[in-house]
C-alpha cells in the first residue's frame, strides 16, 4: 500500500502537519522517531505559545499536540527513519527493514542546539541552563546571566537578555567575535554587557538551579568561578538532515532549502519547522509552517489527480 502522506519528525511542525493532513482525509503516517516530540521535550515551562495563558510544560504541550493528531487518526511509528529514497515516486522510506512507500513526504526533523557537554549542563537544563533566550529570558529579571558563544546568535541573545537581566556576560573562546561587525559592536557598546575573552566554560555549578560557572582562560589556564543564575548557550544549531544529503537541496549549513512555500527541490517533498528555519526557531512558527506543508501536500496531490 502506498501512503498518501508520510511525515518524518514529531515536533510542533510535524504534529501540526499531521493534524491538518488528517483533517484533509489523507490519513497521514507519522514516523515520530525514538525520541519523539522534538526540542520542547527538553524545556520546562513554555509561556509564549498562544492559547496557554498560564503557560504549559514543554513535554505536556507536545503530548497535547500528539493527542490532537491521534484524534483524527494519524498513525504513528515510534522509531527512527534509517533511509530514504527520493529518486523515484512513490518515495521510499525505511524504518529498519520496514519499507514504506509515500506519494508525498513532509520533512519536519528539526534541529538540535549544540551543547557544551560539560559537567552540570544536562542536569541543569531548564533550571538555569537554556539554549533559547526568547523562550527563557523572561525568567531572569534583574539577575546576572551568562551567554556562551561569539556568533550572531550570541550577540542577539545577549542583547535581547539585557531587557531582563541586570548584567550579561558573554563568554567566548577566542579574542574576537565571529559575529557580523554591526552585531558585535552593538553588544560591545551595551552598558549591561561584559565580555570574557579567551575563555571556556568547564563546568556549570549548582544543585537544583544554576549558581555559577567554572571558567578557564585558554591563554593563561587560570580558572575562576563566576556567580550567575542563568547560562544561555548560543554556540549554534545543527539541522537533522543527514538522511537527505545528496537527495534534497540543502543550504551551506545543511538546512533544507524551500522554494516559495514549503516545497523542496524534489516535487512532492515538503519541509517545515526548524529543519528549514534557522532564523525564528519558535514552536509557533514551526507549527505554522507544519500547517502550510500539509496544505501544500494536499494541493500537490490534488493537482496530480
Ligand atoms: P555560528 O555563527 O556558528 O557561531 C557559533 C559561535 O559559538 C562561534 O563564535 C563559535 O566560536 C562558538 N562555539 C561553537 N562551538 C563552541 C564550543 N564547543 N565551545 C565554545 N564556543 C563554541 O552560529 P550562530 O551564531 O548560531 O549563527 C548561525 C548562523 O545564523 C550564522 O550564519 C549567523 O550569521 C546567522 N544568524 C544571523 C542573525 C542575524 O543576522 N540577526 C542572528 C542569528 C544568527 P568560534 O567563533 O571560535 O568558532
Amino acid at each position: 500500500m502506498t501512503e498518501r502522506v508520510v511525515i518524518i519528525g514529531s515536533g510542533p511542525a510535524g504534529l501540526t502537519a499531521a493534524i491538518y493532513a488528517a483533517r484533509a482525509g489523507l490519513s497521514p503516517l507519522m514516523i515520530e522517531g525514538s525520541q519523539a516530540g522534538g526540542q520542547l521535550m527538553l524545556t520546562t515551562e513554555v509561556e509564549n505559545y498562544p492559547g496557554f495563558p498560564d503557560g504549559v510544560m514543554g513535554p505536556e504541550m507536545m503530548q497535547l499536540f500528539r493527542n490532537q493528531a491521534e484524534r483524527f487518526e494519524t498513525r504513528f511509528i515510534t522509531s527512527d527513519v534509517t533511509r530514504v529514497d527520493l529518486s523515484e515516486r512513490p518515495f521510499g522510506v525505511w524504518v529498519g527493514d520496514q519499507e514504506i512507500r509515500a506519494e508525498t513526504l513532509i520533512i519536519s526533523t528539526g534541529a538540535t542546539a549544540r551543547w557544551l557537554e560539560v559537567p552540570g549542563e544536562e542536569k541543569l537544563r531548564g533550571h538555569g541552563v537554556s539554549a533559547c533566550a526568547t523562550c527563557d529570558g523572561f525568567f531572569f529579571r534583574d539577575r546576572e546571566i551568562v551567554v556562551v558563544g561569539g556568533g550572531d546568535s550570541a550577540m542577539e541573545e545577549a542583547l535581547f537578555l539585557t531587557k531582563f537581566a541586570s548584567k550579561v556576560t558573554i563568554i567566548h573562546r577566542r579574542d574576537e567575535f565571529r559575529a557580523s561587525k554591526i552585531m558585535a559592536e552593538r553588544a560591545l557598546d551595551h552598558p549591561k554587557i561584559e565580555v570574557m575573552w579567551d575563555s571556556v566554560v568547564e563546568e556549570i555549578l549548582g544543585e537544583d538551579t544554576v549558581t555559577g560557572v567554572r571558567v578557564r582562560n585558554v591563554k593563561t589556564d587560570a580558572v575562576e568561578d563566576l556567580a550567575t543564575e542563568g547560562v544561555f548557550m548560543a554556540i549554534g544549531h545543527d539541522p537533522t538532515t543527514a538522511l537527505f544529503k545528496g537527495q534534497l537541496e540543502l543550504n551551506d549549513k545543511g538546512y533544507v532549502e524551500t522554494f516559495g512555500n514549503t516545497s523542496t527541490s524534489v516535487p512532492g517533498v515538503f519541509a517545515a519547522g526548524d529543519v528549514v528555519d534557522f532564523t525564528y526557531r519558535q514552536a509557533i512558527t514551526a507549527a505554522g509552517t507544519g500547517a502550510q506543508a500539509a496544505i501544500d501536500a494536499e494541493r500537490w496531490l490534488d493537482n496530480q489527480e
Side-chain angles (χ1 to χ4, degrees):
M1 181 189 120
T2 302
E3 300 286 344
R4 306 211 73 196
V5 181
V6 168
I7 303 166
I8 309 178
S10 56
L15 287 168
T16 305
I19 293 165
Y20 273 73
R23 287 178 48 77
L26 295 170
S27 181
L29 175 68
M30 142 95 42
I31 307 176
E32 64 178 345
S34 53
Q35 289 178 300
Q39 292 182 71
L40 280 178
M41 300 303 283
L42 304 175
T43 59
T44 46
E45 189 141 28
V46 180
E47 290 192 326
N48 56 6
Y49 201 92
F52 296 94
D54 301 320
V56 57
M57 300 305 272
E60 187 192 340
M61 186 162 101
M62 293 328 295
Q63 186 61 48
L64 293 170
F65 271 58
R66 194 181 188 280
N67 294 351
Q68 196 169 349
E70 242 179 337
R71 179 178 154 208
F72 299 109
E73 293 173 7
T74 300
R75 291 157 299 133
F76 290 89
I77 295 180
T78 310
S79 297
D80 295 322
V81 171
T82 44
R83 183 164 80 86
V84 298
D85 179 4
L86 309 183
S87 66
E88 55 169 11
R89 285 206 301 265
F91 305 116
V93 177
W94 284 262
V95 176
D97 295 337
Q98 184 182 359
E99 178 180 340
I100 297 153
R101 289 279 152 189
E103 288 173 51
T104 64
L105 209 58
I106 295 176
I107 297 172
S108 48
T109 46
T112 47
R114 289 190 204 132
W115 298 95
L116 288 175
E117 289 166 26
V118 295
E121 179 182 56
E122 202 176 334
K123 178 179 81 174
L124 293 166
R125 249 188 235 174
H127 302 278
V129 173
S130 169
C132 179
T134 314
C135 321
D136 299 329
F138 186 78
F139 302 115
F140 293 89
R141 230 167 244 292
D142 301 321
R143 314 272 173 89
E144 296 197 0
I145 57 184
V146 157
V147 172
V148 182
D152 280 328
S153 294
M155 304 303 117
E156 201 169 67
E157 307 249 303
L159 287 161
F160 176 77
L161 289 165
T162 60
K163 294 187 183 138
F164 312 101
S166 55
K167 181 178 160 194
V168 178
T169 305
I170 300 176
I171 301 180
H172 183 42
R173 63 184 176 184
R174 292 188 293 132
D175 60 3
E176 62 175 347
F177 286 139
R178 171 179 301 279
S180 56
K181 195 158 180 278
I182 182 161
M183 296 284 286
E185 273 171 6
R186 250 181 237 159
L188 289 167
D189 289 345
H190 198 286
K192 278 190 184 174
I193 297 181
E194 277 183 23
V195 184
M196 280 178 95
W197 300 106
D198 300 311
S199 298
V200 290
V201 171
E202 288 197 321
E203 186 174 348
I204 297 172
L205 309 170
E207 276 309 312
D208 303 320
T209 58
V210 171
T211 56
V213 285
R214 185 155 295 159
V215 184
R216 184 171 59 85
N217 184 299
V218 293
K219 287 198 173 144
T220 64
D221 254 350
V223 174
E224 68 171 294
D225 289 353
L226 176 73
T228 187
E229 290 179 65
V231 186
F232 286 84
M233 302 303 166
I235 59 173
H237 284 76
D238 295 308
T240 313
T241 48
L243 275 174
F244 313 108
K245 245 175 222 157
Q247 304 200 58
L248 264 190
E249 210 171 296
L250 306 178
N251 76 10
D252 59 348
K253 298 198 170 60
Y255 290 84
V256 176
E257 287 277 12
T258 51
F259 301 88
N261 50 16
T262 63
S263 303
T264 68
S265 57
V266 176
V269 178
F270 303 87
D274 285 13
V275 75
V276 178
D277 167 27
F278 47 87
T279 310
Y280 303 104
R281 296 190 197 117
Q282 301 301 301
I284 185 72
T285 50
T289 58
Q292 289 173 357
I295 293 169
D296 290 341
E298 183 194 357
R299 291 190 179 152
W300 188 87
L301 284 166
D302 281 348
N303 284 336
Q304 300 297 302
E305 278 154 15

